[in-house]
Amino acid sequence: MMLLVTSGVAPYLAQAESILDVGDTFIVPLLLKLAFVLGIFFVVPLVAGYLEHKAMARMQHRRGPVEAGPFGTLQLVADGIKFIQKEDLIPSAADKWVFAIAPGVALVPAMLALLVIPFGPGVFALDLELGLFYVLAASSVSVLGVLMGGWSSANKFSLFGGLRAGGQLIAYELPLILAAIAVAVQAGTLSLVGIVEAQAEFMLFGTGINLWFVIPQLLGFGIFFVAALAELSRPPFDMPIGDSELVFGYMTEYSGIKYAMYMLTEYAGMVTMSALMVVLYLGGWQLLPGVPLPGCEGAGGLFDCDVTGTLLGVVVTFGKIMLLVFVMVWLRVAYPRLREDQLQRIAWQVMVPLALLNLALVTIAKVVY
Amino acid sequence: MAPSAPPGIGLLKGLGVTVKHLFKRPTTLMYPHERDVLAPRTRGVIALMDENCTVCMLCSREGPDWGIYIESHKETVPPAKEGGRARTRNVLDRFEIDFSLCMYCGICVEVCPFDALWWSPEFEYSEYEMGSLLHEMEKLREWADTVPPPPPLEEGAVLPAEVSDALAKAEKERELVAAKELEAKQAAEAPTETAGDAPKKGKAAEPEIHVKAGEIDQETFDRLIAEGKSERMARAKAKAAYVKKEKARLLAEAEAAGGAAEPEAPAPKAAEVKVEAGEIDQETFDRLIAEGKPERMARAKAKAAYVKKEKLRLRAEAESDTGEGTGADEPAEVPSELGASPEAAKQALDAGDAGTAPAEDAPDVAAEAATTEAPAAKKLGDVHIEGAGEIDQEVFDQLIAEGKSERIARAKAKAAWVKKRKQAKLDEEGGA
């Protein structure tokens, strides 16, 4: 909050220059940024989905998709086409308008979150000074779509699923935000680009050893990761879907393109959360701690890059994102679903106190050093 | 997890297990490109060997899904023997399995008492329409060609009763043949015995008239098709006709080459002069016992002699009725084959055997067979025999003895039975 107050008169304005800000007109950068965000939104989740298909299959001694496209890479595209062709069913007892817009309400925030996430040196649509706040706020809106879908389906399983999702997202929002605040405290900024820069410049106390925030805030990273899994309703926190008890939770009555929108929300969420973790804890597009990207001159060797440095930075970021997505898949394969009471107990009795402890430690350390 | 292990170590172990399996080879079989070798008893599709079906309806009634439809009609079969009782027989008209209803429980296959239903491992018969899953008799018959041979019995397992019986019989026959050879040698030594070399010749010629089945007699086939018979039946009959013709031709060739043809005509013939085996020729028995032969052998030979005698007698009777012995071929009963004993030959002469009869019995019969067989074979296709269900026990035993599988033996024995009946009918018509 203090940061917010002291940061100036226009905290919502862009801080750093994006490579998409070309020319003097308003419209060209706008269109470029739209295309950028939409491209990321519709492509990267499919890659993550393909990774999930393949990794999960191999862990289960299967081959995963093999027929659609080379090595089955176009399987999710084929699935998307299939979903578009399917009949769009709306239950007769459903609250039709709410039912219809609920997937969109869940989907759009996932898209909006991508607006401020930096994928490389200058590779972002916008660098808000309130970036972290914006991302967390936007992703929190998704739960509204889930609740709307669960309520309007006029199905008890959907309602259970929706309410479980609501309870779960509220419970895990808190540790997630507390962990993120600790990062903001350590970095001294809410801008995501600024956090990456802060990590490149962060030295172990009194030495010249560069470290990412994941080392001093290992506890915070763990909390953030678990809370992110729960936010996304990913196994082992997929009680809102809970196929064995709730049919398919809030998605029970959905089919066709609306169902596909919910699924896309999940995968886009995985990408967004992974990207956020990369930015907050894993040094952004920095290859290794203390190693500047070739062709970059700015702070920590991460800014004002040429083409090679930019491309390398993007590759590094996406590599880290996919690594985290893989870990999410790995956890999904390894662990059974938690019980609803276990989920709530972990959130309120373990995660929140630990997050507060983490925040306190970071704040004290920040003040001391 | 040991009690002393730090908390959460189990979670890491879980991750270790999954990541270990990540690097193992997938067990997936890329089905359309690769194919698995299915277990021999795979329940793919149910095949029908309709010649085995007796329309007992057990399969239709026992199947829990009621997906087997059978239609049949009854036919009267003339008595096998003179003065016998006419029998009714069920003739299968329609046999269908609806695989859209079938739950592949296999109860119909289990319950079939005559081995008409079999499991085949074929499974690629999906259809675009549900109705196409109704497999007709012809289709089910085609599946029968894909039925794998039954898995071999375990070491030391007891053979099925009929198989072991057949093997025992074959062994006995070999003994008898050996004894007969011995006897024939003895007979050749004695100057008064005229038919001394007949059995030997017969044995030598026997394998010659083995005709490979498989080709069809196009003429017969075309004619049957023209008559409106089903393709399957026409094919089967044409095949039989081909075999018959070939045998006749070979026989004629052998005769032309060797002067004296073999006395044994091919197996499925001359049911008219079928004689109930079981009684013994007391005269032969006494003589053999007197010669110091063991009782068992003596009994067997005496039996054979009795059969031979009876047949000759019956044939003579038939000939005296018709004047000419066209239909009376040498019977193919296995016991009769070894019955060319001197007594039988003498008896034949006494009974005033068929027209051209010289001193020797066997070559005469063979010649007769050679001359009468070709026209008979041509006509065989005309004869329509309803009902195919019984088997020719001799052929069955013989094939089992030859090491054929039970299924094949059964099928061939059945064919032999049908052929025999046809021949009998033909002879009957000729006689009348």
Side-chain angles (χ1 to χ4, degrees):
Chain A
M1 290 300 110
M2 198 173 69
L3 287 166
L4 216 157
V5 172
T6 54
S7 60
V9 282
Y12 47 86
L13 286 182
Q15 303 294 297
E17 190 85 345
S18 165
I19 54 165
L20 299 168
D21 288 322
V22 287
D24 295 329
T25 55
F26 173 75
I27 193 76
V28 174
L30 180 71
L31 289 175
L32 276 176
K33 285 172 180 177
L34 271 175
F36 171 74
V37 169
L38 286 175
I40 297 261
F41 182 73
F42 284 111
V43 174
V44 183
L46 296 191
V47 179
Y50 175 71
L51 176 70
E52 170 161 47
H53 276 218
K54 277 294 190 188
M56 203 158 77
R58 293 303 296 265
M59 285 178 179
Q60 295 165 346
H61 291 198
R62 296 185 289 112
R63 297 272 303 258
V66 284
E67 299 289 353
F71 303 103
T73 41
L74 299 179
Q75 183 62 50
L76 282 166
V77 177
D79 284 349
I81 293 168
K82 180 193 76 177
F83 280 130
I84 290 168
Q85 290 170 338
K86 281 181 124 181
E87 186 184 359
D88 188 19
L89 290 169
I90 298 178
S92 57
D95 191 339
K96 290 187 181 50
W97 279 105
V98 181
F99 186 84
I101 62 169
V105 173
L107 184 77
V108 170
M111 202 187 308
L112 290 179
L114 287 171
L115 197 64
V116 295
I117 290 174
F119 291 97
V123 186
F124 46 81
L126 208 58
D127 175 31
L128 289 182
E129 196 189 333
L130 274 176
L132 183 56
F133 176 82
Y134 169 83
V135 170
L136 295 175
S139 63
S140 300
V141 180
S142 276
V143 69
L144 202 58
V146 171
L147 271 172
M148 284 164 69
W151 178 258
S152 64
S153 290
N155 178 318
K156 61 186 169 193
F157 297 115
S158 296
L159 184 56
F160 272 129
L163 291 182
R164 278 189 184 188
Q168 178 171 328
L169 297 201
I170 289 165
Y172 280 88
E173 197 80 59
L174 201 52
L176 187 83
I177 289 171
L178 287 173
I181 286 174
V183 173
V185 166
Q186 187 172 357
T189 173
L190 279 170
S191 156
L192 294 177
V193 179
I195 290 172
V196 173
E197 188 181 346
Q199 289 192 67
E201 290 169 345
F202 173 72
M203 301 298 168
L204 193 60
F205 313 112
T207 67
I209 303 169
N210 183 213
L211 279 182
W212 293 341
F213 285 175
V214 66
I215 304 295
Q217 296 204 36
L218 196 58
L219 180 63
F221 177 67
I223 290 166
F224 193 95
F225 191 89
V226 172
L229 275 184
E231 284 279 289
L232 296 169
S233 298
R234 290 283 306 172
F237 301 105
D238 58 341
M239 283 71 90
I241 291 171
D243 349 19
S244 59
E245 41 206 278
L246 291 183
V247 188
F248 216 61
Y250 58 89
M251 288 191 266
T252 301
E253 295 290 354
Y254 281 94
S255 65
I257 188 67
K258 293 193 183 114
Y259 174 80
M261 284 164 80
Y262 270 130
M263 292 309 285
L264 187 59
T265 305
E266 179 178 337
Y267 286 98
M270 278 169 78
V271 172
T272 310
M273 282 298 177
S274 298
L276 205 53
M277 277 184 267
V278 169
V279 168
L280 294 184
Y281 295 100
L282 298 177
W285 56 90
Q286 201 177 7
L287 191 57
L288 284 169
V291 179
L293 281 175
C296 297
E297 292 154 6
L302 289 182
F303 298 94
D304 306 328
C305 296
D306 59 10
V307 178
T308 326
T310 309
L311 285 178
L312 191 62
V314 172
V315 168
V316 166
T317 311
F318 279 111
K320 288 175 181 175
I321 289 172
M322 286 307 152
L323 196 69
L324 286 173
V325 169
F326 170 77
V327 174
M328 288 181 180
V329 174
W330 189 7
L331 294 173
R332 173 179 176 180
V333 175
Y335 296 144
R337 184 181 305 132
L338 270 74
R339 261 191 348 247
E340 188 65 28
D341 63 317
Q342 291 171 333
L343 174 97
Q344 293 293 341
R345 191 178 304 122
I346 288 172
W348 295 106
Q349 295 186 356
V350 181
M351 304 281 278
V352 172
L354 281 180
L356 285 170
L357 178 69
N358 178 59
L359 178 59
L361 289 176
V362 170
T363 315
I364 292 166
K366 179 78 179 170
V367 171
V368 170
Y369 294 99
Chain B
M1 192 170 87
S4 59
I9 201 80
L11 295 176
L12 293 177
K13 276 184 181 174
L15 289 177
V17 168
T18 41
V19 86
K20 191 176 76 193
H21 285 270
L22 176 67
F23 297 106
K24 289 194 174 175
R25 273 186 70 81
T27 54
T28 312
L29 187 82
M30 304 305 290
Y31 158 62
H33 316 298
E34 306 169 30
R35 273 157 201 281
D36 202 0
V37 177
L38 295 169
R41 291 186 181 174
T42 303
R43 296 179 174 195
V45 68
I46 296 168
L48 171 71
M49 295 184 183
D50 54 335
E51 66 270 19
N52 287 6
C53 181
T54 63
V55 203
C56 68
M57 307 294 279
L58 279 178
C59 50
S60 184
R61 276 184 291 159
E62 294 295 328
D65 288 335
W66 294 56
I68 301 181
Y69 311 115
I70 302 175
E71 282 175 15
S72 70
H73 68 275
K74 279 195 193 302
E75 274 187 6
T76 308
V77 180
K81 293 192 290 186
E82 195 79 25
R85 181 171 61 86
R87 291 162 190 276
T88 54
R89 171 179 303 283
N90 283 321
V91 180
L92 188 62
D93 294 328
R94 176 169 168 253
F95 194 109
E96 293 174 344
I97 299 180
D98 191 343
F99 283 103
S100 62
L101 295 180
C102 182
M103 59 189 268
Y104 300 88
C105 64
I107 289 176
C108 56
V109 178
E110 290 288 318
V111 86
C112 181
F114 303 106
D115 284 351
L117 291 175
W118 297 79
W119 276 116
S120 158
E122 296 294 315
F123 59 93
E124 289 162 316
Y125 53 94
S126 51
E127 300 281 355
Y128 285 103
E129 289 169 1
M130 218 181 201
S132 309
L133 284 169
L134 187 72
H135 288 198
E136 300 284 346
M137 199 153 82
E138 286 73 25
K139 182 94 176 165
L140 294 171
R141 174 70 238 192
E142 278 168 28
W143 291 126
D145 298 335
T146 65
V147 174
L153 294 175
E154 277 179 21
E155 197 78 22
V158 180
L159 285 170
E162 44 197 341
V163 175
S164 56
D165 283 356
L167 286 174
K169 200 169 177 184
E171 179 61 28
K172 208 165 81 183
E173 271 164 25
R174 266 199 290 280
E175 266 177 33
L176 286 175
V177 164
K180 196 174 67 178
E181 258 176 26
L182 200 70
E183 196 187 322
K185 222 179 270 174
Q186 284 171 0
E189 280 162 15
T192 50
E193 301 298 292
T194 51
D197 60 342
K200 250 190 262 174
K201 253 185 206 161
K203 239 179 293 118
E206 206 168 11
E208 277 177 30
I209 44 169
H210 185 68
V211 172
K212 203 176 169 194
E215 289 178 38
I216 64 165
D217 187 44
Q218 195 58 43
E219 194 185 327
T220 312
F221 182 77
D222 293 348
R223 187 169 48 73
L224 287 168
I225 290 290
E227 279 171 14
K229 293 279 194 302
S230 81
E231 197 223 321
R232 192 173 59 81
M233 193 178 277
R235 186 178 299 280
K237 289 197 174 174
K239 250 183 213 174
Y242 169 79
V243 170
K244 190 91 183 164
K245 260 189 188 168
E246 272 296 286
K247 275 188 185 169
R249 194 177 58 76
L250 286 172
L251 210 61
E253 268 176 23
E255 192 194 8
E262 61 280 355
E264 261 78 24
K269 282 215 300 181
E272 194 190 24
V273 283
K274 194 171 176 178
V275 172
E276 283 295 312
E279 289 180 38
I280 64 167
D281 186 48
Q282 195 60 41
E283 198 186 329
T284 312
F285 184 76
D286 291 349
R287 187 175 53 78
L288 287 168
I289 290 291
E291 281 172 11
K293 294 277 194 306
E295 196 228 322
R296 191 169 57 84
M297 191 184 283
R299 184 178 301 279
K301 289 200 171 174
K303 251 186 214 171
Y306 169 80
V307 170
K308 184 93 183 173
K309 259 186 193 171
E310 273 297 285
K311 278 186 184 166
L312 286 170
R313 193 176 58 73
L314 287 170
R315 195 165 54 182
E317 270 173 23
E319 272 160 17
S320 65
D321 286 348
T322 58
E324 210 186 321
T326 31
D329 293 331
E330 171 72 10
E333 308 297 324
V334 174
S336 78
E337 282 176 17
L338 18 116
S341 66
E343 273 79 13
K346 248 185 256 167
Q347 181 71 28
L349 281 173
D350 291 347
D353 195 24
T356 56
E360 288 180 10
D361 161 44
D364 151 50
V365 176
E368 191 184 283
T371 49
T372 56
E373 189 143 3
K378 239 180 230 166
K379 275 199 282 178
L380 204 60
D382 298 334
V383 182
H384 186 57
I385 284 288
E386 286 299 339
E390 293 184 24
I391 66 165
D392 190 327
Q393 193 60 40
E394 284 145 33
V395 177
F396 180 77
D397 293 349
Q398 189 198 330
L399 286 167
I400 289 287
E402 280 172 12
K404 294 279 195 302
S405 83
E406 198 216 321
R407 191 165 61 79
I408 286 175
R410 189 178 297 282
K412 288 202 173 168
K414 227 159 249 188
W417 182 85
V418 170
K419 207 157 169 195
K420 238 188 196 175
R421 298 240 7 120
K422 277 187 188 170
Q423 185 65 46
K425 207 169 174 186
L426 204 66
D427 292 347
E428 214 171 69
E429 280 165 10

